[in-house]
Amino acid sequence: IIEGICQPAQFAVLLDVHTGGKMTVTEANGHSDCRKSEFNPAEGSVVGVKEKLLLGVSRRNITPPIGCCLAVYAPDVIAKAVNDDLTVTTFVFEQDGKRALLASCTVLGINNELADRLRAMMEAECGIPKEAVILHAIHNHSGPNISAGYGWGEMDTEYLEKIFIPGLLDSAKEA
């Protein structure tokens, strides 16, 4: 079962994958109203759903330069090479004129203050309500610290402002 939630108390879609390529879509609006529809990918339509669910996807490279301090380690632990790029992958969902955004970032974490700032930026730049923006950090210790916290070391504000935020916003706009 794949579950996608947009504004949790208001809308949820469950895709229950069945054998034979059919899926059952259950829509709940938080009031115990539910409807089920069957989707056959070969036919390309969902019976009972008024509007198509549109999805835009974008990915941006947010890899810092070699030599940056790595998050949570002692200040002298720096990046010496790049094994895999750090990325931000953004998904924008739209249905019935409503949009939601999910951004998955290969960073250690995003604190509440930064998350609020980023959501406001995405609302201003992309027109997606900040309440419909989900930011996800994969908890990667092999990148810069963008969320200062007790014991986490200093925040890398240069990386945050010059690489991370522009990459996130570009990815959101393209998606």
Side-chain angles (χ1 to χ4, degrees), residues 17-56:
V17 181
H18 295 287
T19 58
K22 287 191 176 181
M23 295 180 274
T24 301
V25 179
T26 304
E27 182 178 333
N29 67 9
H31 301 290
S32 77
D33 296 345
C34 289
R35 68 178 182 201
K36 285 194 174 185
S37 307
E38 284 202 353
F39 173 70
N40 185 338
E43 295 171 8
S45 65
V46 178
V47 178
V49 175
K50 294 178 186 173
E51 295 289 328
K52 290 182 182 179
L53 174 63
L54 303 174
L55 172 63

Side-chain angles (χ1 to χ4, degrees), residues 71-155:
V72 187
Y73 296 108
D76 59 346
V77 178
I78 61 169
K80 297 177 183 168
V82 175
N83 291 329
D84 298 300
D85 287 332
L86 302 185
T87 60
V88 57
T89 304
T90 306
F91 303 89
V92 174
F93 305 88
E94 183 173 347
Q95 187 174 43
D96 293 329
K98 295 179 183 175
R99 293 191 306 160
L101 181 146
L102 168 64
S104 181
C105 312
T106 53
V107 296
L108 178 68
I110 301 171
N111 66 27
N112 289 337
E113 182 180 332
L114 178 58
D116 290 344
R117 179 178 166 213
L118 296 171
R119 285 186 186 107
M121 288 176 157
M122 284 192 253
E123 183 173 42
E125 297 271 338
C126 304
I128 298 172
K130 60 186 176 186
E131 299 81 13
V133 173
I134 299 171
L135 301 170
H136 170 256
I138 69 162
H139 198 82
N140 174 24
H141 284 259
S142 297
N145 181 2
I146 63 168
S147 290
Y150 180 76
W152 286 26
E154 295 295 317
M155 183 168 27

